[in-house]
């Protein structure tokens, strides 16, 4: 028994694991300096009306230029930021920056901002959102918060309270990556979401997998029954767009309409469109 544990313990110190630890430690070290170092920026991906092709607004997506390593995708550092207590300040910066940028766009163009479930457990998400809107001079109706399903399962009462206060302020709520989490339909209704964003994984297989098509069909029915706007993520080709149109999907986002882009480029896009 002891010998076994000893061997297991020894295994922890293989050079490979040592290198992994060093890599993570380096990432953490750099992430702690990224905000003060001005290494974050936002890109904007157009949200488009499927029927008219009109640009309705954009989703703000966080980008990190890590010195010596180049661009690090958010999937590779948001989780770490949550773990080491940085998601509060980073999330607040994203809200401020996104609202400031969107305030320069013609109304009613809107801005969608991703909010980590952990931000709901910090003392003052409501205050942070309100301050970001006020500082920017942006009408609350033009801000949409994207929340993943997982949040709704935890801390239900407090979460509900914050969501309700944000709604009272006029901010809109979208459920992000729908279909990948707990998919509790009861919550969808109870939390009074304005929008369901059907996850990219279903859209991707829409044209070749009957199951993906069935899921999209079911979500569309749900959206109609509950009176919640349906949005499809990750639309890459015309066949997908056509099927979504047939299903009655109202809003789309994806490489077919535009990749995430710097703010100047997004400004050019909606100026051309109007
Ligand atoms: P998300 O909120 O679901 O954002 C959509 C992701 O899909 C983005 O990846 C976007 O670039 C990508 N995407 C959009 N259209 C297409 C398409 O047609 N094809 C393909 N293959 N991909 C497409 P990105 O920017 O790498 O962000 C990944 C995730 O990181 C986001 O997923 C979101 O959960 C998180 N994230 C990004 N920015 C923030 C932020 O400011 N705060 C928080 N908490 N999370 C963020
Ligand atoms: Mg999102
Ligand atoms: Mg999503
Ligand atoms: Mg996602």
């Amino acid at each position: 028994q002891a010998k076994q544990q000893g061997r297991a313990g020894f295994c922890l110190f293989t050079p490979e694991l040592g290198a992994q630890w060093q890599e993570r430690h380096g990432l953490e070290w750099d992430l702690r300096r990224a905000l003060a170092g001005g290494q974050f920026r936002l890109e904007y991906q157009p949200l488009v009306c499927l029927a008219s092709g009109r640009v309705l607004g954009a989703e703000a997506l966080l980008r990190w230029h890590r010195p010596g390593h180049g661009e690090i995708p958010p999937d590779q550092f948001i989780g770490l930021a949550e773990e080491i207590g940085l998601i509060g300040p980073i999330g607040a910066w994203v809200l401020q920056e996104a609202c400031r940028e969107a305030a320069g766009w013609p109304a009613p163009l809107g801005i969608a901002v991703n909010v980590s479930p952990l931000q709901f457990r910090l003392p003052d998400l409501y205050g942070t959102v309100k301050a970001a809107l006020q500082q920017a001079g942006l009408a609350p109706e033009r801000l949409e918060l994207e929340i993943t399903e997982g949040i709704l399962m935890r801390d239900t009462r407090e979460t509900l309270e914050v969501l309700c206060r944000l709604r009272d302020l006029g901010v809109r709520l979208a459920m992000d990556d729908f279909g990948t989490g707990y998919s509790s339909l009861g919550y969808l209704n109870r939390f009074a979401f304005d929008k369901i964003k059907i996850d990219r994984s279903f859209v991707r297989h829409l044209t070749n997998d009957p199951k993906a098509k069935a899921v999209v069909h079911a979500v569309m029915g749900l959206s109609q029954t509950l009176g919640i706007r349906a949005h499809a993520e990750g639309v890459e080709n015309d066949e997908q767009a056509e099927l979504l149109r047939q299903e009655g999907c109202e809003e789309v986002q994806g490489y077919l309409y535009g990749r995430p882009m710097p703010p100047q480029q997004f400004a050019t896009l909606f100026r051309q469109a109007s």
Side-chain angles (χ1 to χ4, degrees):
Q1 179 73 37
K3 201 174 173 186
Q4 287 244 304
Q5 272 175 6
R7 275 176 62 188
F10 178 77
C11 281
L12 284 175
F13 299 98
T14 61
E16 198 186 316
L17 287 173
Q20 266 174 32
W21 182 85
Q22 222 165 29
E23 163 60 26
R24 191 205 128 112
H25 198 69
L27 189 70
E28 183 179 327
W29 177 270
D30 286 353
L31 191 56
R32 288 190 189 280
R33 277 150 196 81
L35 197 54
Q39 294 161 14
F40 288 125
R41 58 173 215 289
L42 296 179
E43 287 196 327
Y44 298 86
Q45 187 178 30
L47 311 178
V48 175
C49 170
L50 184 51
S52 69
R54 259 196 3 239
V55 176
L56 302 170
E59 176 175 1
L61 293 158
L62 185 58
R63 300 291 178 251
W64 177 26
H65 182 87
R66 183 183 178 199
H69 292 80
E71 298 292 317
I72 313 291
D75 288 333
Q76 284 175 35
F77 68 84
I78 293 285
L80 180 60
E82 290 173 341
E83 259 176 65
I84 63 178
L86 286 180
I87 198 64
I90 293 176
W93 179 84
V94 172
L95 278 162
Q96 280 160 24
E97 178 65 15
C99 289
R100 191 191 54 74
E101 189 64 45
W105 305 343
L109 284 189
I111 181 75
V113 175
N114 293 285
V115 178
S116 156
L118 270 188
Q119 287 175 263
F120 280 83
R121 288 196 247 150
L122 298 174
D124 201 18
L125 178 63
Y126 175 82
T128 305
V129 170
K130 198 172 171 187
L133 288 166
Q134 274 172 352
Q135 276 164 27
L138 186 74
E141 295 72 28
R142 293 175 63 192
L143 174 65
E144 184 163 75
L145 301 180
E146 297 197 359
I147 304 156
T148 45
E149 291 172 74
I151 184 192
L152 305 175
M153 307 304 292
R154 248 184 300 207
D155 297 345
T156 300
R157 187 188 290 160
E158 273 136 19
T159 301
L160 180 61
E161 200 185 296
V162 179
L163 286 175
C164 286
R165 289 180 70 202
L166 286 167
R167 274 203 66 102
D168 288 345
L169 189 63
V171 170
R172 290 174 298 148
L173 305 173
M175 185 175 279
D176 206 354
D177 302 344
F178 189 76
T180 59
Y182 295 95
S183 305
S184 167
L185 305 183
Y187 282 113
L188 192 61
N189 204 17
R190 180 156 155 231
F191 287 84
F193 276 83
D194 302 277
K195 188 186 284 182
I196 310 176
K197 297 189 81 172
I198 304 170
D199 192 67
R200 182 152 55 88
S201 55
F202 302 108
V203 176
R204 188 192 300 138
H205 297 114
L206 196 55
T207 49
N208 56 29
D209 179 1
K211 281 186 199 147
K213 200 178 169 188
V215 170
V216 171
H217 186 75
V219 176
M220 292 311 307
L222 188 70
S223 122
Q224 269 142 29
T225 308
L226 297 177
I228 302 176
R229 210 175 153 73
H231 171 114
E233 302 188 298
V235 181
E236 294 186 352
N237 59 54
D238 291 317
E239 292 91 320
Q240 292 164 346
E242 184 47 40
L243 271 172
L244 288 162
R245 196 173 287 120
Q246 286 167 18
E247 287 288 346
C249 183
E250 291 152 286
E251 197 183 294
V252 281
Q253 171 181 12
Y255 294 170
L256 181 63
Y257 306 94
R259 296 192 174 237
M261 58 186 87
Q264 313 86 281
Q265 199 182 330
F266 180 67
T268 315
L269 188 105
F270 66 68
R271 279 204 201 95
Q272 279 169 351
S274 59

